[in-house]
Structures are given as C-alpha cells and as structure tokens.
Amino acid sequence: DFLNPDLKNVYYISKLKFTLQYPAELAPIKKTDNKEEIYKKLAAVSTYLDILLARRIWNFRSFSYSDMQFNMYSLVKEIRRKNLSDLTDALYKKLKEDPNKFSENPYFYLHQGNRFYIHYLLARITDFIEVSSGGSSKFQEYMATGINKYEVEHIWARHYERHPDEFGSESDFERYRNYIGGLLLLPKKFNTSYGDLTYEEKVKHYDSQNLLARSLNSLCYEHNPGFIQFIKKYDLPFKSYEHFKKDDLEERQRLYLKLAELVWSPEQLKDYA
C-alpha cells in the first residue's frame, strides 16, 4: 500500500520488479509478533533493500535474480526471527560495510541500458524534494505511462556547437551531457515543445515544472518558504543559474549526489528500532 508510510519502500521496490524482496521481508517475522512489530520489521527490511538497490543502480551493478539470489539467501538466514532491535542493527551494519556507496561513483550518468533506472531515481529524488518542502507526493504521476507520461530530459540540448569553448570533442560534450546532474524529469509534452531550445530559453519555462527543474530558475527561491527551509535543514547547495556551463553541471552533479545520499540514507533504519 503506497499510502501507508510504513510500507512505502515495499511499493518502491516493486517498481523495480525485484521479487526477491518478499522472502527477505518475511524472514524476521515471528508468530508472536504483534501488528506494530510486523509492520516495523517489514519497513526495516524494505528500507534496507531500497537503499541497497539504489546504490547498485548508481554503481552500474546488476540486481537480477541470478546476481542477487545468493546474497538474498544469506540475508534471509542472517535475519531470520531476529527481534526488531537486532534486526535494525544488523541491517545498518551491512549498509555501512557495503562497498557500493553513492560516493564511489560521483560521475553517475545515463547510458543506453539504464534510462528506466535513471527515470526511477529522478522520480524518487524529485518526489523527496517536493514532499520535504511541504508538497504532496507525485511519485506515481512521475512513473505513470501513457499520454501524460514524464520523460528524462537533458538540460543541454544535443548541440555541441553551443559549447565551443568548453569541450575539446563532441564525445566529451556527450559524456558531460549525460551526467545525472544534467538531467530532469519533465512531461513529454514539455520536452517536445522546449527540449531543443538553449538553456537560457528553457530555464524560463522550468519555473512551471517540478521543484528539481524549478530550482534552476531564480524565481523558485522567492516566496517559497517550504523549499527554503528544506535547503537549510539539509544544508544543500541549491542555486539558480542564468547560464548553465560545464562547471555549473559539475556543481549540479554534486548536488544530486547529496540528494541521493539523503533519499537513501541508512539513518532511516533507526526510525524502526
């Protein structure tokens, strides 16, 4: 149930079609557990898996059934029938020891095989910003298919000639253009209308979109107390850009990395102890 905050990560993981989540989530539950304990155990394990999978996506690691079967088998044995405190301690320790942290791949980027996962991560990050700023969740809207679907949009249009003083080759430009910090999640209709424009032309229209896109426009920082409080709470380096150059994209890349570490923070597990 997406509307149940205790089970939100069960829902998120289902979007990734990771079916091995179910035996892991059921492993620590005992017949003697009351409803509150069951919900907290489900929440703790699904939070662990949500973080684990997001990190693997960010580090270009597969989580196919064959790649994860042994890991999940070992996890199930380790956490079977654990009480809540021992369970959260064990899961927190495993995440701290996990080598696939977001910081291990600071230049995460879009490639031909990971567009869906980029879409998913951007949906989660965008939703986190908006909910944390006092808005309602739009994750389901961002992930919906059909005529009103959202797409991954590049902040830079595919025009190498617009950046003659910044890149020595077109391949270098394309590499930067595909960094996650240079990407947004926007309605398909928006992309069709504005996608090929220069940044200076597009940024005017970003102010009508989600907060991750709006944050590029200076108007986002006016009369927006919820968003400003969110920035201050987590000390996030949000800023607007009149122009969007190579150094600016690198700044934005570092911002997205910080946001990912917030969305998928192991500290969440302490809420269930």
Side-chain angles (χ1 to χ4, degrees), residues 109-168:
Y109 61 89
L110 170 71
H111 60 71
Q112 288 184 343
N114 72 345
R115 182 172 289 270
F116 171 81
Y117 297 123
I118 290 277
H119 188 130
Y120 170 83
L121 295 181
L122 287 173
R124 292 288 304 278
I125 289 170
T126 304
D127 189 64
F128 173 77
I129 295 168
E130 295 185 323
V131 171
S132 299
S133 298
S136 57
S137 175
K138 294 183 179 178
F139 176 77
Q140 291 172 306
E141 179 181 329
Y142 295 145
M143 295 297 295
T145 58
I147 190 170
N148 294 317
K149 71 177 181 179
Y150 280 69
E151 293 182 332
V152 175
E153 193 220 1
H154 291 81
I155 294 174
W156 285 341
R158 183 171 284 167
H159 287 285
Y160 167 57
E161 70 278 4
R162 294 176 183 172
H163 305 264
D165 58 334
E166 296 186 283
F167 297 98

Side-chain angles (χ1 to χ4, degrees), residues 22-37:
Y22 304 117
E25 288 162 357
L26 293 173
I29 296 174
K30 298 181 289 188
K31 288 183 179 180
T32 54
D33 289 339
N34 60 40
K35 185 176 181 179
E36 182 182 3
E37 289 172 322

Side-chain angles (χ1 to χ4, degrees), residues 151 153-154 157 162 186-198 201-203 205-206 208-209:
E151 293 182 332
E153 193 220 1
H154 291 81
R162 294 176 183 172
L186 295 168
K188 182 179 181 180
K189 292 178 181 178
F190 183 99
N191 290 353
T192 302
S193 299
Y194 305 112
D196 201 47
L197 299 180
T198 65
E201 292 170 310
K202 281 197 289 188
V203 72
H205 302 284
Y206 285 155
S208 65
Q209 298 301 315

